[in-house]
């Protein structure tokens, strides 16, 4: 019995040992008393500036790349080394420009999503106007139904002839 116990103690493996899942804390590290010092307008202005900086940087890469490509494209007496060097530089510039253009497309896509998904003011205005139109239509239908019921009840009591009732219904 001691031999099997000893064999279990000596057993070693390089397999992963199952362990508890890591825990996550959602509290900010460091200072526990962090408060938001920005108003909504300040935050939006900061985001606006950040997006503008990203756009400016990518456009600047495109402009510099195109300028350098035009400089490289000059025709003249060049040896094979200079031609190979300029070809490599042109390739690097175009790759940089492609990355910048792709980044611009990504930024445009992100801005479109932000506009579509966070335009709460316009969404709320549309919802409110639709609710008002619905209430107006419901009130109009309620009035027509009430008038029709009153006319029908008056007709039964002998108040209107069938021609008078149909003319009244056509007017309303």
């Amino acid at each position: 019995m001691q031999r099997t116990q000893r064999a279990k103690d000596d057993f070693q493996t390089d397999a992963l040992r199952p362990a508890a899942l890591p825990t996550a804390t959602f509290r900010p590290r460091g200072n526990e008393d962090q408060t938001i010092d920005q108003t909504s307008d300040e935050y939006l202005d900061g985001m606006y500036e950040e997006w503008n900086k990203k756009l400016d940087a990518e456009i600047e890469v495109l402009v510099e790349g195109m300028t350098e490509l035009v400089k490289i494209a000059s025709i003249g007496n060049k040896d094979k080394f200079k031609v190979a060097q300029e070809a490599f530089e042109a390739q690097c510039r175009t790759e940089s420009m492609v990355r910048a253009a792709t980044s611009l497309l990504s930024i445009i896509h992100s801005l479109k999503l932000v506009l579509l998904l966070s335009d709460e003011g316009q969404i709320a205005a549309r919802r409110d106007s639709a609710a008002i139109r619905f209430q107006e239509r419901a009130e109009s239908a309620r009035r027509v139904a009430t008038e029709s019921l009153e006319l029908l009840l008056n007709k039964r009591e002998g108040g209107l002839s069938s021609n008078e009732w149909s003319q009244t219904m056509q007017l309303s």
Side-chain angles (χ1 to χ4, degrees):
M1 187 121 170
Q2 284 187 359
R3 186 173 184 190
T4 55
Q5 182 67 22
R6 185 172 179 218
K8 287 182 183 177
D9 292 340
D10 292 339
F11 179 73
Q12 294 181 355
T13 180
D14 59 348
L16 294 175
R17 294 185 182 133
L21 294 174
T23 59
T25 57
F26 295 109
R27 287 179 275 144
R29 295 179 186 207
N31 188 2
E32 298 282 334
D33 300 332
Q34 289 183 348
T35 59
I36 299 174
D37 295 332
Q38 292 180 329
T39 64
S40 176
D41 290 336
E42 290 172 347
Y43 175 75
L44 290 175
D45 288 341
M47 291 298 292
Y48 175 79
E49 290 299 321
E50 183 180 330
W51 282 107
N52 271 341
K53 285 178 185 176
K54 288 179 183 179
L55 287 171
D56 290 342
E58 299 302 333
I59 290 172
E60 186 176 335
V61 168
L62 286 173
V63 169
E64 286 177 3
M66 188 58 76
T67 304
E68 290 299 318
L69 283 177
V70 169
K71 285 180 185 176
I72 292 171
S74 64
I75 300 173
N77 263 346
K78 298 179 183 178
D79 59 351
K80 289 184 180 182
F81 176 75
K82 184 71 173 170
V83 170
Q85 187 179 18
E86 287 178 351
F88 177 72
E89 187 176 349
Q91 185 179 4
C92 291
R93 290 288 179 181
T94 54
E95 287 175 2
S96 172
M97 291 172 63
V98 167
R99 278 193 304 275
T102 304
S103 178
L104 280 173
L105 287 174
S106 175
I107 290 170
I108 290 168
H109 178 73
S110 297
L111 288 174
K112 284 180 182 179
L113 286 176
V114 166
L115 178 65
L116 287 173
L117 298 176
S118 68
D119 194 9
E120 294 175 13
Q122 187 176 14
I123 292 170
R126 285 183 190 168
R127 182 188 62 230
D128 293 343
S129 67
I132 290 170
R133 284 193 313 267
F134 176 76
Q135 288 173 347
E136 289 171 353
R137 286 194 329 235
E139 187 62 34
S140 173
R142 191 176 297 125
R143 273 187 266 128
V144 169
T146 303
E147 290 171 3
S148 298
L149 181 62
E150 288 175 358
L151 288 173
L152 186 61
L153 291 175
N154 286 339
K155 182 181 177 189
R156 283 192 179 172
E157 294 174 0
L160 292 175
S161 67
S162 62
N163 289 339
E164 290 174 336
W165 184 74
S166 62
Q167 288 176 356
T168 308
M169 287 304 293
Q170 289 175 356
L171 292 176
S172 60

